[in-house]
Amino acid sequence: MATTSVKEKDFMTVVRERRSVRHYDPAAKISREELSDMLKEAALAPSSSNLQPWRFLVFDDPAVKERLLPIANNQKQVVDAAAVIAVLGDVQGYENAPKVYKAAVEAGYMTKEIAQNMIERTLTGYSQIGREKLEHIALIDGGLVSMQLMLAAKARGYDTVPMGGFHADRLMQEFEIPERYVPVMLIAVGKAASPGHPTTRLPIEDITFWNGFAK
Ligand SMILES: Cc1cc2nc3c(=O)[nH]c(=O)nc-3n(C[C@H](O)[C@H](O)[C@H](O)COP(=O)(O)O)c2cc1C
């Protein structure tokens, strides 16, 4: 899966060194092949019933990124980074259950009978749970794939910044995104022109509870 020229960093280095980078070298491009490799790595993330409801709308054309710029509050990384990936959640993603489970059968991971049972249960169950819950699932799965994409990029020597600062309704309209998709976040990916500023984290004792909240 990895492009051969890539010198991958070890996991702890990637996790510790990733920062949100907002200044990019506009001359540094990333090939579609390498972007696709990163997306493949990201898509190894887990998802509810393995339905993989994430979809990627990749902006790598400078003229198209200019159209995205005002929608993303004129955040300069949108035009300077090699690409911006709109991570979308597909509320009808569960309709891919037959494809997902047939692939598992072909790979020898489950029997035809088990797959058929899973397909029926998935299609029946997910089609009944309503748009709000499906969006909730798509946003959770979309968050997981987004994080994995940022780590995959960092491992390959690129930097990223996740962006929630954009107008979802205008994004949908401008790029004629069908209603079945919900925007999760935008992720700029490229070569840093300057490093991201360091940030701190809350002490682990403040955010962790063991075996319940009662003292
Ligand atoms: C969902 C989400 C939305 C964000 N939106 C923006 C944004 O619109 N613009 C921006 O510059 N940074 C944005 N950030 C980046 C955060 O500011 C950054 O992750 C946080 O300050 C921690 O810094 P670090 O990523 O360098 O560790 C966003 C992060 C997340 C997770």
Side-chain angles (χ1 to χ4, degrees):
M1 178 174 290
T3 308
T4 44
S5 62
V6 174
K7 193 165 178 286
E8 291 159 20
K9 297 186 185 186
D10 78 85
F11 180 73
M12 292 317 296
T13 305
V14 169
V15 170
R16 291 193 177 117
E17 290 187 353
R18 184 214 57 82
R19 281 182 189 162
S20 289
V21 165
R22 298 173 178 90
H23 301 284
Y24 289 89
D25 173 359
K29 307 289 175 210
I30 307 177
S31 70
R32 286 191 175 182
E33 189 195 3
E34 193 169 14
L35 282 169
S36 299
D37 281 346
M38 280 182 231
L39 293 172
K40 273 188 217 165
E41 287 150 10
L44 295 174
S47 60
S48 177
S49 301
N50 195 26
L51 290 170
Q52 309 154 54
W54 43 65
R55 302 291 177 266
F56 307 111
L57 176 56
V58 184
F59 300 102
D60 65 350
D61 178 332
V64 181
K65 287 195 284 162
E66 285 291 345
R67 283 166 55 207
L68 181 61
L69 183 64
I71 293 169
N73 297 328
N74 294 311
Q75 299 191 65
K76 202 151 180 303
Q77 57 264 27
V78 167
V79 281
D80 287 348
V84 178
I85 295 158
V87 179
L88 308 171
D90 182 1
V91 297
Q92 286 168 236
Y94 66 86
E95 291 172 2
N96 276 320
K99 204 173 179 179
V100 169
Y101 289 111
K102 275 177 193 157
V105 173
E106 276 161 27
Y109 299 155
M110 64 173 69
T111 65
K112 251 184 179 173
E113 292 67 34
I114 290 175
Q116 193 49 42
N117 189 278
M118 300 285 278
I119 291 166
E120 279 161 27
R121 277 175 39 196
T122 305
L123 292 177
T124 311
Y126 280 76
S127 61
Q128 286 172 2
I129 59 181
R131 169 110 194 177
E132 197 181 335
K133 178 79 181 150
L134 289 169
E135 280 190 11
H136 184 80
I137 293 169
L139 291 174
I140 291 172
D141 292 345
L144 292 171
V145 84
S146 295
M147 185 70 251
Q148 191 136 310
L149 175 58
M150 291 187 274
L151 296 179
K154 187 71 193 169
R156 290 167 167 276
Y158 297 111
D159 281 285
T160 58
V161 57
M163 289 174 280
F166 66 93
H167 300 275
D169 48 347
R170 285 169 58 193
L171 179 81
M172 300 285 287
Q173 217 175 2
E174 178 68 24
F175 298 101
E176 299 177 83
I177 299 172
E179 284 292 315
R180 63 188 283 178
Y181 303 110
V182 284
V184 178
M185 68 183 78
L186 303 177
I187 300 176
V189 52
K191 271 279 174 209
S194 59
H197 60 79
T199 54
T200 57
R201 291 298 185 267
L202 296 168
I204 203 70
E205 312 82 75
D206 293 6
I207 59 169
T208 309
F209 304 87
W210 300 90
N211 303 312
F213 275 80
K215 292 211 168 164

